[in-house]
Every structure is written in C-alpha cells, then in structure tokens.
Amino acid sequence: MTRRTIAVVSAGLSQPSSTRLLADQLAGATRDELVRRGAEAELRVVDLREYAHDVVNNMLTGFPPAALREAIDAVTGADGIIAVTPIFNASYNGLFKSFFDVLEAESLVDRPVLIGATGGTARHSLALEHALRPMFSYLRAVVVPTSVFAAPEDWSGGTVDGALRGRIRRAAGELADQVERRLPASGPADPFALTTDFLQMLGGGDDAPVTSAGRTGARQAPGSARAESQPG
C-alpha cells in the first residue's frame, strides 16, 4: 500500500478557530479519498499560531529554530498541502504569508496544494483567487481548481452545511487526483546537499576528468611527456 502524507497548514489565531475547523474538514475528506483509492494517508497538522514567534525569529536571523524546522520539513516533504487562512483586510493574514516566506526557494515546485479560507462575510471569498492562488502559483506549486471558503452562514450549529460539504468533497477529490499522479515524496530536500562532485570543484570544472584514484586530472595530449613516459 502506497503511503502518502498531507501537510495541513492552519493560520487561525483564535482558540477554537473556524480556520482550523475548516482545515480539519478538508484534511479528513482528503484522507478518506486517498484511503478509498488504496493509499495509506498520514496527516501532519501545522498550527501556525504555535510557531508565530519562531517565524519572526527566522525572518530576522535567516535560521529556523528546531521546532519550526520540523514544521517546515513536514510541509516541504509532504505529498500534498492543505493551506487555510483567515481573511484579514481582504487577504491572507500576516502569519500565513510569513510562514511561506521563510520556506526555501523552490521547495514547493510541482507540489499539489488545496487552498481554503474563512472570513466574516462571503464577500471575502474572492481573496482566494486574487491573493492565495497567485502566491502559490508564484511558488510554482500546483493549486487544485476548487478553492474552499467558509463564511459564518456556512456553519450550521458548528457543523458543515450541505453546500460547504459538497465543495470540501470536490476539492479533496481534486487534491487526491494530483497526489495520486505523482511518485511518493522522498521528504524535504537537504539544503546542504552537494549537487556537484566536490573533487571536481577542486579540480577546476566539470570538464576535468576523474582518474581511477578518484582525483581530477588534466587532459593529456597524445604527444605530451607524461603520455610518452607510460610503459608500452
């Protein structure tokens, strides 16, 4: 059975939070859809309110504290991402944006993302299309077509009403489609991994050959002294 991981990023600030509630609904629907398709699904929840100070410190120093590093690895190493924010002043809140600002460049390239948001009025739903979708498109992630917005009237006695439930299921199915099309994630990229052989860098470039002893040497012309000294 293929193992899939879904990172669930919630930027809700209050406790309890309607943003976290929507994130949990989207996560549960996506997990159920992946299980239905024969995959083993693991949810990794990142509640950004727990990392607010660490995110600011990361922005000031350029280095994430250990707890934030684990959260970042959970997001960048996942097969898919569910990202939900409350809408403040017609856009995502500052904590949501700051978290994605501190991720390594290109860490979300080709990563399937489902975006969601909550707000005090349905008029804020357009923020998903003019703020969140462009941000993830800039990061070169793959944002699923259906975005999910929940206004106060979408919650009926603290539960999900019929219309919102339908949007959640459709978006979850689209995220599962994108995840299923890709090989399982191998985890976060190592920022210190060498992409070029270290001995080649010391030897003066990619064109220098590597000898059988593992050292980089200069190319020898057929008539050079070194070539002539080799035994016949």
CSV table of all heavy atoms in Angstrom, one decimal, residues 107-164:
chain,number,residue,atom,x,y,z
A,107,SER,N,11.0,25.1,-2.9
A,107,SER,CA,10.7,23.9,-2.1
A,107,SER,C,9.3,23.4,-2.3
A,107,SER,O,8.9,22.3,-1.9
A,107,SER,CB,10.9,24.2,-0.6
A,107,SER,OG,10.0,25.3,-0.2
A,108,LEU,N,8.4,24.2,-3.0
A,108,LEU,CA,7.1,23.8,-3.3
A,108,LEU,C,6.8,23.6,-4.8
A,108,LEU,O,5.7,23.4,-5.2
A,108,LEU,CB,6.1,24.8,-2.7
A,108,LEU,CG,6.1,25.1,-1.2
A,108,LEU,CD1,4.9,26.0,-0.9
A,108,LEU,CD2,6.0,23.8,-0.5
A,109,VAL,N,7.9,23.5,-5.6
A,109,VAL,CA,7.7,23.4,-7.0
A,109,VAL,C,7.0,22.0,-7.3
A,109,VAL,O,7.4,21.0,-6.8
A,109,VAL,CB,9.0,23.4,-7.7
A,109,VAL,CG1,8.9,23.0,-9.2
A,109,VAL,CG2,9.7,24.8,-7.6
A,110,ASP,N,5.9,22.1,-8.1
A,110,ASP,CA,5.1,20.9,-8.5
A,110,ASP,C,4.4,20.2,-7.3
A,110,ASP,O,4.0,19.1,-7.4
A,110,ASP,CB,6.0,19.9,-9.3
A,110,ASP,CG,5.1,19.0,-10.1
A,110,ASP,OD1,4.1,19.4,-10.7
A,110,ASP,OD2,5.4,17.7,-10.0
A,111,ARG,N,4.3,20.9,-6.2
A,111,ARG,CA,3.6,20.3,-5.0
A,111,ARG,C,2.1,20.6,-5.1
A,111,ARG,O,1.7,21.8,-5.2
A,111,ARG,CB,4.2,20.9,-3.7
A,111,ARG,CG,3.9,20.1,-2.5
A,111,ARG,CD,4.5,18.7,-2.6
A,111,ARG,NE,5.9,18.8,-3.0
A,111,ARG,CZ,6.9,19.0,-2.1
A,111,ARG,NH1,6.7,19.1,-0.9
A,111,ARG,NH2,8.1,19.1,-2.6
A,112,PRO,N,1.2,19.6,-5.1
A,112,PRO,CA,-0.2,19.9,-5.1
A,112,PRO,C,-0.7,20.6,-3.8
A,112,PRO,O,-0.3,20.2,-2.7
A,112,PRO,CB,-0.8,18.5,-5.1
A,112,PRO,CG,0.3,17.6,-5.7
A,112,PRO,CD,1.5,18.2,-5.1
A,113,VAL,N,-1.5,21.6,-4.0
A,113,VAL,CA,-1.9,22.5,-2.9
A,113,VAL,C,-3.4,22.7,-3.0
A,113,VAL,O,-3.9,23.0,-4.1
A,113,VAL,CB,-1.2,23.8,-2.8
A,113,VAL,CG1,-1.8,24.7,-1.7
A,113,VAL,CG2,0.3,23.6,-2.7
A,114,LEU,N,-4.2,22.5,-1.9
A,114,LEU,CA,-5.6,22.9,-1.8
A,114,LEU,C,-5.6,24.1,-0.9
A,114,LEU,O,-5.2,24.1,0.2
A,114,LEU,CB,-6.4,21.7,-1.2
A,114,LEU,CG,-7.9,21.7,-1.2
A,114,LEU,CD1,-8.4,20.4,-0.8
A,114,LEU,CD2,-8.5,22.8,-0.3
A,115,ILE,N,-6.2,25.2,-1.4
A,115,ILE,CA,-6.3,26.4,-0.6
A,115,ILE,C,-7.7,26.6,-0.1
A,115,ILE,O,-8.7,26.3,-0.7
A,115,ILE,CB,-5.9,27.6,-1.5
A,115,ILE,CG1,-6.7,27.8,-2.7
A,115,ILE,CG2,-4.4,27.6,-1.8
A,115,ILE,CD1,-6.4,29.0,-3.5
A,116,GLY,N,-7.8,27.1,1.2
A,116,GLY,CA,-9.1,27.4,1.8
A,116,GLY,C,-8.9,28.6,2.7
A,116,GLY,O,-7.8,29.1,3.0
A,117,ALA,N,-10.1,29.2,3.0
A,117,ALA,CA,-10.1,30.4,3.8
A,117,ALA,C,-11.4,30.6,4.6
A,117,ALA,O,-12.4,30.0,4.2
A,117,ALA,CB,-9.8,31.7,3.0
A,118,THR,N,-11.4,31.3,5.7
A,118,THR,CA,-12.6,31.7,6.4
A,118,THR,C,-12.6,33.2,6.5
A,118,THR,O,-11.6,33.9,6.5
A,118,THR,CB,-12.6,31.0,7.8
A,118,THR,OG1,-11.4,31.5,8.5
A,118,THR,CG2,-12.5,29.5,7.7
A,119,GLY,N,-13.8,33.7,6.7
A,119,GLY,CA,-14.0,35.1,6.9
A,119,GLY,C,-15.3,35.5,7.5
A,119,GLY,O,-16.3,34.6,7.5
A,120,GLY,N,-15.5,36.7,7.9
A,120,GLY,CA,-16.7,37.2,8.5
A,120,GLY,C,-17.9,37.4,7.5
A,120,GLY,O,-19.0,37.6,7.9
A,121,THR,N,-17.6,37.5,6.2
A,121,THR,CA,-18.6,37.7,5.2
A,121,THR,C,-18.2,36.9,3.9
A,121,THR,O,-17.0,36.8,3.6
A,121,THR,CB,-18.8,39.2,4.9
A,121,THR,OG1,-19.6,39.3,3.7
A,121,THR,CG2,-17.5,39.8,4.6
A,122,ALA,N,-19.2,36.5,3.2
A,122,ALA,CA,-18.9,35.8,1.9
A,122,ALA,C,-18.2,36.6,0.9
A,122,ALA,O,-17.6,36.1,0.0
A,122,ALA,CB,-20.2,35.2,1.4
A,123,ARG,N,-18.2,37.9,1.0
A,123,ARG,CA,-17.6,38.8,0.1
A,123,ARG,C,-16.1,38.6,0.1
A,123,ARG,O,-15.4,38.9,-0.9
A,123,ARG,CB,-17.9,40.3,0.4
A,123,ARG,CG,-19.3,40.7,0.1
A,123,ARG,CD,-19.6,42.1,0.5
A,123,ARG,NE,-19.4,42.3,1.9
A,123,ARG,CZ,-19.5,43.5,2.5
A,123,ARG,NH1,-19.7,44.6,1.8
A,123,ARG,NH2,-19.3,43.6,3.9
A,124,HIS,N,-15.5,38.1,1.2
A,124,HIS,CA,-14.1,37.9,1.3
A,124,HIS,C,-13.6,36.6,0.5
A,124,HIS,O,-12.4,36.4,0.4
A,124,HIS,CB,-13.7,37.7,2.7
A,124,HIS,CG,-13.7,39.0,3.6
A,124,HIS,ND1,-13.2,40.2,3.1
A,124,HIS,CD2,-14.1,39.2,4.8
A,124,HIS,CE1,-13.4,41.1,4.0
A,124,HIS,NE2,-13.9,40.5,5.1
A,125,SER,N,-14.6,35.9,0.0
A,125,SER,CA,-14.2,34.7,-0.8
A,125,SER,C,-13.3,34.9,-2.0
A,125,SER,O,-12.5,34.1,-2.3
A,125,SER,CB,-15.5,33.9,-1.2
A,125,SER,OG,-16.2,34.7,-2.1
A,126,LEU,N,-13.4,36.1,-2.5
A,126,LEU,CA,-12.6,36.4,-3.7
A,126,LEU,C,-11.1,36.5,-3.4
A,126,LEU,O,-10.2,36.4,-4.3
A,126,LEU,CB,-13.0,37.8,-4.3
A,126,LEU,CG,-14.4,37.8,-5.0
A,126,LEU,CD1,-14.8,39.2,-5.4
A,126,LEU,CD2,-14.4,36.8,-6.1
A,127,ALA,N,-10.8,36.6,-2.1
A,127,ALA,CA,-9.4,36.7,-1.7
A,127,ALA,C,-8.6,35.4,-2.0
A,127,ALA,O,-7.4,35.4,-2.3
A,127,ALA,CB,-9.2,36.9,-0.2
A,128,LEU,N,-9.4,34.3,-2.1
A,128,LEU,CA,-8.7,33.0,-2.5
A,128,LEU,C,-8.2,33.1,-3.9
A,128,LEU,O,-7.1,32.6,-4.2
A,128,LEU,CB,-9.8,31.9,-2.5
A,128,LEU,CG,-10.1,31.4,-1.1
A,128,LEU,CD1,-11.4,30.6,-1.1
A,128,LEU,CD2,-8.9,30.5,-0.5
A,129,GLU,N,-8.9,33.8,-4.8
A,129,GLU,CA,-8.4,33.9,-6.2
A,129,GLU,C,-7.5,35.1,-6.5
A,129,GLU,O,-6.6,35.0,-7.3
A,129,GLU,CB,-9.6,34.0,-7.1
A,129,GLU,CG,-10.6,32.9,-6.9
A,129,GLU,CD,-10.0,31.5,-7.1
A,129,GLU,OE1,-9.1,31.4,-8.0
A,129,GLU,OE2,-10.4,30.6,-6.4
A,130,HIS,N,-7.6,36.2,-5.7
A,130,HIS,CA,-6.7,37.3,-6.0
A,130,HIS,C,-5.5,37.4,-5.1
A,130,HIS,O,-4.6,38.2,-5.3
A,130,HIS,CB,-7.5,38.6,-6.0
A,130,HIS,CG,-7.9,39.1,-4.7
A,130,HIS,ND1,-7.0,39.5,-3.7
A,130,HIS,CD2,-9.2,39.4,-4.2
A,130,HIS,CE1,-7.7,40.0,-2.7
A,130,HIS,NE2,-9.0,39.8,-2.9
A,131,ALA,N,-5.5,36.5,-4.1
A,131,ALA,CA,-4.3,36.6,-3.1
A,131,ALA,C,-3.7,35.2,-3.0
A,131,ALA,O,-2.5,35.1,-3.3
A,131,ALA,CB,-4.8,37.1,-1.8
A,132,LEU,N,-4.4,34.2,-2.5
A,132,LEU,CA,-3.8,32.9,-2.2
A,132,LEU,C,-3.3,32.2,-3.5
A,132,LEU,O,-2.2,31.7,-3.6
A,132,LEU,CB,-4.7,32.0,-1.5
A,132,LEU,CG,-4.7,32.1,0.1
A,132,LEU,CD1,-5.4,33.4,0.5
A,132,LEU,CD2,-5.3,30.9,0.7
A,133,ARG,N,-4.2,32.1,-4.5
A,133,ARG,CA,-3.9,31.3,-5.7
A,133,ARG,C,-2.6,32.0,-6.4
A,133,ARG,O,-1.7,31.2,-6.8
A,133,ARG,CB,-5.0,31.2,-6.7
A,133,ARG,CG,-4.8,30.2,-7.8
A,133,ARG,CD,-6.0,30.1,-8.7
A,133,ARG,NE,-7.2,29.6,-8.0
A,133,ARG,CZ,-7.4,28.3,-7.8
A,133,ARG,NH1,-6.6,27.4,-8.3
A,133,ARG,NH2,-8.5,27.9,-7.2
A,134,PRO,N,-2.6,33.3,-6.6
A,134,PRO,CA,-1.4,33.9,-7.2
A,134,PRO,C,-0.1,33.6,-6.4
A,134,PRO,O,1.0,33.4,-7.0
A,134,PRO,CB,-1.7,35.4,-7.3
A,134,PRO,CG,-3.2,35.4,-7.3
A,134,PRO,CD,-3.6,34.3,-6.4
A,135,MET,N,-0.2,33.6,-5.1
A,135,MET,CA,1.0,33.4,-4.3
A,135,MET,C,1.6,32.0,-4.5
A,135,MET,O,2.8,31.8,-4.7
A,135,MET,CB,0.7,33.6,-2.8
A,135,MET,CG,1.9,33.5,-1.9
A,135,MET,SD,1.6,33.4,-0.1
A,135,MET,CE,1.1,31.7,0.1
A,136,PHE,N,0.7,31.0,-4.5
A,136,PHE,CA,1.2,29.6,-4.7
A,136,PHE,C,1.6,29.4,-6.1
A,136,PHE,O,2.5,28.6,-6.4
A,136,PHE,CB,0.1,28.6,-4.2
A,136,PHE,CG,0.0,28.5,-2.7
A,136,PHE,CD1,-1.0,29.0,-2.0
A,136,PHE,CD2,1.0,27.8,-2.0
A,136,PHE,CE1,-1.1,28.9,-0.7
A,136,PHE,CE2,1.0,27.7,-0.7
A,136,PHE,CZ,-0.1,28.2,0.0
A,137,SER,N,0.9,30.1,-7.1
A,137,SER,CA,1.4,30.0,-8.5
A,137,SER,C,2.8,30.5,-8.6
A,137,SER,O,3.6,30.0,-9.4
A,137,SER,CB,0.4,30.7,-9.4
A,137,SER,OG,-0.9,30.1,-9.4
A,138,TYR,N,3.1,31.6,-7.9
A,138,TYR,CA,4.4,32.2,-7.9
A,138,TYR,C,5.4,31.2,-7.4
A,138,TYR,O,6.6,31.1,-7.9
A,138,TYR,CB,4.4,33.5,-7.1
A,138,TYR,CG,5.8,34.1,-7.1
A,138,TYR,CD1,6.3,34.9,-8.1
A,138,TYR,CD2,6.6,33.9,-5.9
A,138,TYR,CE1,7.6,35.4,-8.1
A,138,TYR,CE2,7.9,34.5,-5.9
A,138,TYR,CZ,8.4,35.2,-6.9
A,138,TYR,OH,9.6,35.8,-6.9
A,139,LEU,N,5.0,30.5,-6.4
A,139,LEU,CA,5.9,29.5,-5.8
A,139,LEU,C,6.0,28.2,-6.6
A,139,LEU,O,6.7,27.3,-6.3
A,139,LEU,CB,5.4,29.1,-4.4
A,139,LEU,CG,5.5,30.2,-3.3
A,139,LEU,CD1,4.8,29.8,-2.0
A,139,LEU,CD2,6.9,30.7,-3.1
A,140,ARG,N,5.3,28.2,-7.8
A,140,ARG,CA,5.3,27.1,-8.7
A,140,ARG,C,4.7,25.8,-8.2
A,140,ARG,O,5.0,24.7,-8.6
A,140,ARG,CB,6.7,26.9,-9.3
A,140,ARG,CG,7.1,28.1,-10.1
A,140,ARG,CD,8.6,28.1,-10.3
A,140,ARG,NE,9.1,26.9,-11.0
A,140,ARG,CZ,10.4,26.5,-11.0
A,140,ARG,NH1,11.3,27.3,-10.5
A,140,ARG,NH2,10.8,25.4,-11.7
A,141,ALA,N,3.8,26.0,-7.2
A,141,ALA,CA,3.0,24.8,-6.7
A,141,ALA,C,1.8,24.6,-7.7
A,141,ALA,O,1.5,25.4,-8.5
A,141,ALA,CB,2.5,25.1,-5.3
A,142,VAL,N,1.2,23.5,-7.6
A,142,VAL,CA,0.0,23.1,-8.4
A,142,VAL,C,-1.2,23.3,-7.5
A,142,VAL,O,-1.5,22.4,-6.7
A,142,VAL,CB,0.2,21.7,-9.0
A,142,VAL,CG1,-1.1,21.4,-9.8
A,142,VAL,CG2,1.4,21.6,-9.8
A,143,VAL,N,-2.0,24.3,-7.7
A,143,VAL,CA,-3.1,24.6,-6.9
A,143,VAL,C,-4.4,24.0,-7.6
A,143,VAL,O,-4.6,24.2,-8.8
A,143,VAL,CB,-3.4,26.1,-6.8
A,143,VAL,CG1,-4.5,26.4,-5.8
A,143,VAL,CG2,-2.1,26.8,-6.3
A,144,VAL,N,-5.1,23.2,-6.8
A,144,VAL,CA,-6.3,22.5,-7.4
A,144,VAL,C,-7.3,23.5,-7.8
A,144,VAL,O,-7.4,24.6,-7.2
A,144,VAL,CB,-6.8,21.4,-6.5
A,144,VAL,CG1,-5.7,20.4,-6.1
A,144,VAL,CG2,-7.4,22.1,-5.2
A,145,PRO,N,-8.2,23.2,-8.8
A,145,PRO,CA,-9.1,24.2,-9.3
A,145,PRO,C,-10.1,24.7,-8.2
A,145,PRO,O,-10.5,25.8,-8.2
A,145,PRO,CB,-9.9,23.4,-10.4
A,145,PRO,CG,-8.9,22.3,-10.8
A,145,PRO,CD,-8.2,21.9,-9.6
A,146,THR,N,-10.6,23.8,-7.3
A,146,THR,CA,-11.6,24.2,-6.4
A,146,THR,C,-11.0,24.7,-5.1
A,146,THR,O,-10.2,24.0,-4.4
A,146,THR,CB,-12.5,23.0,-6.0
A,146,THR,OG1,-13.2,22.5,-7.2
A,146,THR,CG2,-13.6,23.4,-5.0
A,147,SER,N,-11.2,26.0,-4.8
A,147,SER,CA,-10.8,26.5,-3.5
A,147,SER,C,-12.1,26.6,-2.6
A,147,SER,O,-13.2,26.6,-3.1
A,147,SER,CB,-10.3,27.9,-3.7
A,147,SER,OG,-11.2,28.8,-4.4
A,148,VAL,N,-11.9,26.6,-1.3
A,148,VAL,CA,-13.0,26.4,-0.4
A,148,VAL,C,-13.0,27.6,0.6
A,148,VAL,O,-12.0,27.8,1.4
A,148,VAL,CB,-12.9,25.1,0.4
A,148,VAL,CG1,-14.1,25.0,1.3
A,148,VAL,CG2,-12.9,23.9,-0.6
A,149,PHE,N,-14.1,28.4,0.6
A,149,PHE,CA,-14.2,29.5,1.6
A,149,PHE,C,-15.4,29.2,2.4
A,149,PHE,O,-16.5,28.7,2.0
A,149,PHE,CB,-14.5,30.8,0.8
A,149,PHE,CG,-14.6,32.0,1.7
A,149,PHE,CD1,-13.5,32.7,2.1
A,149,PHE,CD2,-15.9,32.4,2.2
A,149,PHE,CE1,-13.6,33.7,3.0
A,149,PHE,CE2,-16.0,33.5,3.0
A,149,PHE,CZ,-14.9,34.1,3.4
A,150,ALA,N,-15.3,29.4,3.7
A,150,ALA,CA,-16.4,29.2,4.7
A,150,ALA,C,-16.7,30.5,5.4
A,150,ALA,O,-15.8,31.1,6.1
A,150,ALA,CB,-16.0,28.2,5.7
A,151,ALA,N,-17.9,31.0,5.2
A,151,ALA,CA,-18.4,32.2,5.9
A,151,ALA,C,-19.2,31.7,7.1
A,151,ALA,O,-19.5,30.5,7.2
A,151,ALA,CB,-19.3,33.0,5.0
A,152,PRO,N,-19.6,32.6,8.0
A,152,PRO,CA,-20.3,32.2,9.2
A,152,PRO,C,-21.6,31.4,8.9
A,152,PRO,O,-22.0,30.5,9.6
A,152,PRO,CB,-20.7,33.5,9.9
A,152,PRO,CG,-19.5,34.4,9.5
A,152,PRO,CD,-19.2,34.0,8.1
A,153,GLU,N,-22.3,31.8,7.8
A,153,GLU,CA,-23.5,31.1,7.5
A,153,GLU,C,-23.3,29.7,6.9
A,153,GLU,O,-24.3,29.0,6.8
A,153,GLU,CB,-24.3,31.9,6.4
A,153,GLU,CG,-23.6,32.3,5.1
A,153,GLU,CD,-22.9,33.6,5.2
A,153,GLU,OE1,-22.5,34.0,6.3
A,153,GLU,OE2,-22.6,34.2,4.1
A,154,ASP,N,-22.1,29.4,6.6
A,154,ASP,CA,-21.8,28.0,6.1
A,154,ASP,C,-21.7,27.0,7.2
A,154,ASP,O,-21.7,25.8,7.0
A,154,ASP,CB,-20.4,28.0,5.3
A,154,ASP,CG,-20.6,28.7,4.0
A,154,ASP,OD1,-21.5,28.4,3.3
A,154,ASP,OD2,-19.7,29.5,3.7
A,155,TRP,N,-21.6,27.5,8.5
A,155,TRP,CA,-21.6,26.6,9.6
A,155,TRP,C,-23.0,26.6,10.2
A,155,TRP,O,-23.5,27.6,10.6
A,155,TRP,CB,-20.6,27.1,10.7
A,155,TRP,CG,-19.2,27.3,10.1
A,155,TRP,CD1,-18.6,28.5,9.8
A,155,TRP,CD2,-18.2,26.3,9.8
A,155,TRP,NE1,-17.4,28.3,9.3
A,155,TRP,CE2,-17.1,27.0,9.3
A,155,TRP,CE3,-18.2,24.9,9.8
A,155,TRP,CZ2,-15.9,26.3,8.9
A,155,TRP,CZ3,-17.1,24.3,9.4
A,155,TRP,CH2,-16.0,25.0,8.9
A,156,SER,N,-23.5,25.4,10.4
A,156,SER,CA,-24.9,25.3,10.9
A,156,SER,C,-24.8,24.5,12.3
A,156,SER,O,-24.6,23.3,12.3
A,156,SER,CB,-25.8,24.5,10.0
A,156,SER,OG,-27.0,24.2,10.5
A,157,GLY,N,-24.8,25.3,13.3
A,157,GLY,CA,-24.7,24.8,14.7
A,157,GLY,C,-23.4,24.1,14.9
A,157,GLY,O,-23.2,23.1,15.6
A,158,GLY,N,-22.3,24.7,14.3
A,158,GLY,CA,-21.0,24.2,14.5
A,158,GLY,C,-20.6,23.1,13.6
A,158,GLY,O,-19.5,22.5,13.7
A,159,THR,N,-21.5,22.7,12.6
A,159,THR,CA,-21.2,21.6,11.7
A,159,THR,C,-21.2,22.2,10.3
A,159,THR,O,-21.5,23.4,10.0
A,159,THR,CB,-22.3,20.5,11.8
A,159,THR,OG1,-23.6,21.1,11.5
A,159,THR,CG2,-22.3,19.9,13.2
A,160,VAL,N,-20.8,21.4,9.3
A,160,VAL,CA,-20.7,21.8,7.9
A,160,VAL,C,-22.0,21.6,7.2
A,160,VAL,O,-22.6,20.5,7.3
A,160,VAL,CB,-19.6,21.0,7.2
A,160,VAL,CG1,-19.5,21.5,5.8
A,160,VAL,CG2,-18.3,21.1,7.9
A,161,ASP,N,-22.5,22.7,6.6
A,161,ASP,CA,-23.8,22.5,5.9
A,161,ASP,C,-23.6,21.8,4.6
A,161,ASP,O,-22.5,21.5,4.1
A,161,ASP,CB,-24.5,23.9,5.7
A,161,ASP,CG,-23.9,24.7,4.6
A,161,ASP,OD1,-22.9,24.3,4.0
A,161,ASP,OD2,-24.4,25.8,4.4
A,162,GLY,N,-24.7,21.5,3.9
A,162,GLY,CA,-24.7,20.7,2.6
A,162,GLY,C,-23.8,21.3,1.5
A,162,GLY,O,-23.0,20.7,0.9
A,163,ALA,N,-24.0,22.7,1.3
A,163,ALA,CA,-23.2,23.3,0.2
A,163,ALA,C,-21.7,23.3,0.5
A,163,ALA,O,-20.9,23.0,-0.4
A,163,ALA,CB,-23.7,24.7,0.0
A,164,LEU,N,-21.3,23.6,1.7
A,164,LEU,CA,-19.9,23.6,2.0
A,164,LEU,C,-19.4,22.2,2.0
A,164,LEU,O,-18.2,22.0,1.5
A,164,LEU,CB,-19.7,24.2,3.4
A,164,LEU,CG,-18.3,24.3,3.9
A,164,LEU,CD1,-17.4,25.0,3.0
A,164,LEU,CD2,-18.2,24.9,5.3
